[in-house]
Amino acid sequence: MSSQDWRIGVAGLGTVGSGLLTFLGENPGFAPAGGKVSVTGVTARSRTRPRPYDISNLPWFDDPVALASAPDVDLFVELIGGSDGPAKAAVEAALKAGKPVVTANKALIAEHGAELAALAEAHGVPLLFEAAVMGGTPAVKVVREALVGDELLSISGILNGTCNFILSEMESGGRAFAEVLAEAQRLGYAEADPTMDVGGFDAAHKITILAALAFSCAPNFAACEVEGIDQVELLDIRMAKDLGYRIKLIASADRSEAGVGVRVHPSLVPLDHPLAQAGGALNALFIEGRRLGRIFIQGAGAGAGPTAAAVAADIADVMTAARRPVFQRPAGELTAFAAVDRSRSEVRAYLRLLVKDEPGVIAAVSETLAEAGVSIESFLQKPAAETEGVPIVLTTHQVSEAVLSEAVTQIARHPAVLQAPRLMRIARI
Ligand code: HSE
């Protein structure tokens, strides 16, 4: 154990950066290895913006790269965000200067993790990012450290609090997507650009990181299939519930003979499943290992206090000289994960159609499905609302994704089908 004092530079003073300064201010005795922590420099986009923590007595840097390279900074904490630009430049500068880096930046690690791991390794310093996934709820350390003795098979869960909040509120309040998104932004859950949240990209960054750790791969964000919640309608939420399911944005990663598959999409989860019970802005995760079976983690995935606690835990690891390869293996030995060919994978699905209320329509839809070899598990028709047409919903038995997709394309062409069919997978968890 090292009992040296650590001088840290903090780049980015938004929610998490201010949370970290508040944490350090409130815990002057934070000294996991005996040595103390002092902040010897800060940088942010605006020096004067009102913040919950007073920064007037801290040395200010206009340039994050200058802070990362400053001689009196031993450890660089990057909380700027964004996959490129100043965050990446500053992290690279710190690693090249031989300084350990702690970051909460999921986009940076998911998109450039392999090259940064190589840089960290070349300079013999740690690169840690517990706060990048599930905020303060431990996920990275669980996979990287606690489960290293197991062989992980799959990971799936809810990794975006904003989407979970929106879906939960749509269901409980009977409110439309846009109205609840505006509330999530007011409450400060949503990312600066809400597309990152509702488009599924934030969850995709996080599951890309967990997949890399679980399967010792170089993170490959481009290979992650991403679908957000922006097309989920209140009608789908209600119909799914009538069928015994709740719609959740599920991020999943698994390893099979086909390779490592990573995807994010709205899924139907049985109402009594723990993931269906995780409401509001909670995050939740199932991890399945060959020896361990399944474990379940649930907690806050955002917020100043919880996320700063995760940053502090990484700082503690640096101070105690805990060392592991960034993604389980030396950077040069990481395998690649490419996009998996899904056409042969099997799913159960939910299909919602808006059709003309006239004789023979349901028969025609069933015939198309039967001819394609898609077996219907359940069927639900709701009385026509004020709008034109009548919604029908069905769920299928297990079927190949390619077969299902072709059948749905054919159904969409039927003149009695009034809008693009809505297809969602039923979660296999
Ligand atoms: N915007 C993210 C979420 C929090 O809603 O989960 C930070 O990753």
Side-chain angles (χ1 to χ4, degrees), residues 106 159-162 189 191 197 202 206 301-302:
K106 57 246 160 184
L159 296 180
N160 184 271
T162 301
Y189 296 143
E191 295 290 305
D197 291 305
D202 174 81
K206 294 166 178 169

Side-chain angles (χ1 to χ4, degrees), residues 346 364-376 396 398-411:
E346 302 249 306
V365 168
S366 320
E367 199 179 306
T368 306
L369 291 170
E371 276 170 9
V374 180
S375 171
I376 296 173
T396 72
Q398 199 89 347
V399 59
S400 115
E401 295 211 24
V403 166
L404 181 63
S405 160
E406 177 51 33
V408 172
T409 304
Q410 282 187 38
I411 288 170

